């Protein structure tokens, strides 16, 4: 057995009810005040007094009509289409039974109802309501003029139409302008809110990217330096008894490697603390020689080959792309030290092409029995992610002699005119 859900009608907020009641009260006070002073104004102008005197039956009829109009206005929000038609229809019996100048005091409530209708009723539902109010207003005006005497039927009809345009058309036009401005302002607010959400999403994406970059750098630092420290510590253990001097040299190398990793960590933390980026001169292709020398000092047999000789391998390559190339060589040498300890490594930088620079790191098969030359884990994943950032091409895999190679092709931002154009060599990098 399913329970039936009953949807309650939308409730009107208390501030809206108070606002409607205040508008109805002001309208009633102004209309009653006009009704009281209207005979005095007619006497002062020398015109015949057509307005009923206070306390008479017709006067109470007009006052009652004004009071009912105010009550309908105060409660018009739940019925935005029926209430204004009722307000416009209430003066019809008054114009038939007690025509005169006092009937005009009911026009104020009709004018306010017309404005509220234009504000509250949707545009597709507004024409029938506006037409009904206009017809009723024209009828009240025409019947009141004919009943008061001295006005022909044609003149009364023209006067009724003019009254309908002024009392109904003018306030509704103002209401439509107000609604259009409100809608434009609401659209602007929605657009600003969407822009703020988009900006927040971009900030969140940037934060996530920065976290990923920090994780990559931490991985690179740990893999590069810690693998060297592990190798030196292993050699130190064998040298303590056999060669104390060599053990001391290994201890000094371990200290140098520890100092280097601390320096890199401080630099990374500095990047997180300051807004300006740290200089990248020590992480460019020109500093690959120092990187290879560091690995050689850590016990890895490595060589660097630059083609053409004495050329600037980073010419025409963007700063970020050079950083990607540097990190690739750093990670590849670290992987070689872990997976192929004792194997010889070669770093080859081919800058002969005019549109790209090819960097290849090749290590031979591991010398230690049981060691695996296959590289895996997050290192290669980080290389590929960094390569995609600069539209570079990354390739890696085993070599024919059981080693491993990693090749990165970095695009040049402009053609390097200093590099002679040569045909790309095919075959194993």
């Amino acid at each position: 057995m399913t329970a039936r859900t009953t949807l309650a009608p939308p409730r009107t907020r208390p501030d809206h009810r108070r606002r409607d009641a205040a508008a109805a009260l002001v309208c009633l006070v102004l209309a009653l005040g006009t009704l009281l002073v209207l005979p005095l104004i007619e006497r002062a102008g020398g015109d015949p007094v057509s307005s009923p005197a206070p306390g008479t039956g017709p006067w109470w009829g007009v006052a009652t009509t004004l009071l009912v109009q105010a009550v309908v206005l105060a409660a018009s929000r739940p019925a935005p289409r029926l209430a204004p038609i009722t307000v416009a229809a209430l003066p019809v019996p008054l114009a038939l039974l007690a025509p005169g100048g006092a009937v005009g005091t009911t026009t104020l409530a009709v004018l306010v109802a017309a404005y509220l209708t234009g504000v509250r009723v949707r545009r597709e539902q507004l024409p029938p309501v506006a037409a009904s109010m206009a017809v009723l207003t024209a009828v009240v005006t025409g019947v009141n003029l004919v009943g008061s005497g001295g006005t022909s039927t044609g003149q009364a009809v023209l006067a009724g139409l003019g009254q309908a345009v002024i009392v109904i058309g003018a306030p509704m036009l103002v209401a439509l302008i107000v609604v259009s401005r409100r809608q434009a302002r609401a659209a602007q607010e929605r657009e600003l809110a969407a822009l703020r959400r988009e900006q927040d999403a971009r900030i969140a994406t940037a934060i996530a990217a920065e976290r990923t970059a920090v994780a990559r750098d931490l991985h690179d630092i740990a893999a590069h330096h810690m693998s060297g420290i592990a190798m030196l510590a292993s050699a130190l253990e064998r040298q303590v008894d056999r060669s104390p001097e060599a053990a001391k040299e290994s201890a000094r190398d371990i200290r140098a490697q520890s100092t280097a990793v601390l320096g890199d960590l401080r630099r990374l933390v500095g990047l997180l603390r300051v807004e300006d980026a740290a200089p990248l001169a020590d992480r460019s292709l020109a500093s690959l020689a120092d990187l290879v020398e560091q690995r050689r000092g850590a016990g890895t047999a490595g060589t660097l080959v630059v083609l053409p000789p004495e050329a600037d391998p980073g010419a025409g390559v963007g700063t970020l792309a050079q950083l990607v190339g540097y990190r690739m060589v750093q990670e590849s040498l670290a992987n070689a030290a872990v997976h192929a300890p004792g194997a010889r490594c070669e770093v080859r930088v081919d800058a002969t092409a005019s549109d790209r620079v090819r960097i290849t790191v090749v290590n031979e098969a591991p010398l230690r029995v049981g060691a695996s030359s296959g590289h895996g884990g997050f290192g290669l994943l980080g290389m590929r992610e960094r390569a995609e950032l600069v539209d570079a091409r990354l390739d890696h895999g085993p070599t024919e002699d059981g080693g491993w190679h990693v090749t990165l092709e970095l695009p040049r931002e402009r053609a390097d005119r200093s590099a002679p154009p040569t045909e790309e060599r095919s075959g194993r990098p």
Side-chain angles (χ1 to χ4, degrees):
M1 179 177 182
T2 59
R4 181 179 298 177
T5 302
T6 304
L7 297 177
R11 297 182 180 180
T12 304
R13 292 192 298 181
D15 55 343
H16 288 165
R17 290 197 296 267
R18 288 194 295 267
R19 196 178 305 166
D20 293 345
L25 181 60
V26 171
C27 183
L28 177 61
V29 170
L30 292 177
L32 288 177
T34 304
L35 182 63
L36 289 173
V37 302
L38 191 58
L40 300 178
I41 295 175
E42 292 178 350
R43 290 193 185 95
D47 297 332
V49 178
S50 60
S51 299
T56 61
W59 188 90
W60 282 111
V62 175
T64 302
T65 302
L66 295 177
L67 179 61
V68 176
Q69 282 182 322
V71 172
V72 175
L73 281 179
S76 62
R77 190 171 293 271
R81 287 179 290 177
L82 180 60
I85 296 177
T86 303
V87 172
L90 285 173
V92 174
L94 190 63
L96 292 173
L97 300 177
V103 178
T105 57
T106 61
T107 304
L108 181 60
V110 179
L111 190 146
V112 174
Y115 174 80
L116 295 178
T117 301
V119 172
R120 296 172 181 173
V121 178
R122 291 183 296 182
R123 291 190 178 184
E124 61 271 15
Q125 299 176 348
L126 188 60
V129 180
S132 300
M133 294 183 68
V135 170
L136 290 172
T137 301
V139 169
V140 170
T141 302
V143 170
N144 186 59
L145 290 177
V146 172
S148 299
T151 303
S152 64
T153 303
Q155 292 176 344
V157 171
L158 292 176
L161 293 177
Q163 186 79 349
V165 171
I166 296 174
V167 177
I168 306 300
M172 282 193 176
L173 179 61
V174 174
L176 291 177
I177 294 175
V178 172
V179 170
S180 299
R181 296 187 64 179
R182 288 179 181 176
Q183 292 176 348
R185 186 166 57 251
Q188 291 177 355
E189 292 176 354
R190 288 193 298 269
E191 183 177 359
L192 290 176
L195 290 176
R196 284 193 293 267
R197 289 193 298 269
E198 182 179 358
Q199 184 179 8
D200 293 340
R202 289 180 178 178
I203 292 174
T205 303
I207 292 175
E210 288 299 325
R211 288 176 177 173
T212 304
V214 170
R216 291 197 199 103
D217 287 340
L218 286 175
H219 178 273
D220 293 343
I221 292 172
H224 175 65
H225 293 288
M226 294 304 176
S227 61
I229 293 175
M231 291 180 61
L232 291 172
S234 177
L236 178 61
E237 182 180 3
R238 296 190 300 269
Q239 294 169 349
V240 169
D241 297 329
R242 299 177 186 177
S243 177
E245 292 299 326
K248 292 179 181 179
E249 183 65 24
S250 297
R252 285 191 291 268
D253 291 339
I254 291 176
R255 175 193 245 174
Q257 289 286 338
S258 302
T259 303
V261 70
L262 288 176
D264 285 340
L265 289 176
R266 290 192 187 99
R267 186 180 297 107
L268 182 59
V269 173
L271 287 174
L272 299 178
R273 289 182 176 176
V274 298
E275 295 180 358
D276 298 333
L280 299 177
D282 57 345
R283 296 293 185 269
S284 63
L285 298 184
S287 60
L288 291 180
D290 297 334
L291 180 61
V292 174
E293 185 64 27
Q294 292 176 10
R295 298 307 304 179
R296 190 181 296 118
T300 300
T303 58
L304 174 66
V305 178
V306 179
L307 298 177
E310 306 300 329
D312 180 11
V317 181
T319 304
L320 182 57
Q322 293 195 49
L323 176 60
V324 171
Y326 180 92
R327 290 300 191 192
M328 186 277 284
V329 175
Q330 184 184 49
E331 178 71 17
S332 298
L333 293 177
N335 288 341
V338 173
H339 298 281
R344 184 177 182 81
C345 297
E346 182 184 79
V347 178
R348 187 183 313 133
V349 181
D350 186 355
T352 56
S354 61
D355 59 343
R356 63 188 181 277
V357 175
R358 175 180 293 177
I359 306 173
T360 304
V361 181
V362 181
N363 64 268
E364 298 176 350
L367 300 179
R368 185 181 304 173
V369 178
S372 173
S373 63
H375 302 181
F378 293 102
L380 293 175
L381 178 61
M383 291 184 199
R384 186 167 301 280
E385 290 178 350
R386 282 191 291 266
E388 292 175 354
L389 290 177
V390 295
D391 294 331
R393 179 184 176 186
L394 181 72
D395 184 28
H396 55 80
T399 60
E400 295 178 356
D401 58 358
W404 188 269
H405 82 92
V406 180
T407 302
L408 178 69
E409 292 187 358
L410 296 174
R412 297 184 191 267
E413 293 183 349
R414 55 178 176 80
D416 186 6
R417 302 184 183 275
S418 63
T422 60
E423 295 184 359
E424 182 178 353
R425 295 184 298 272
S426 60
R428 178 175 172 267

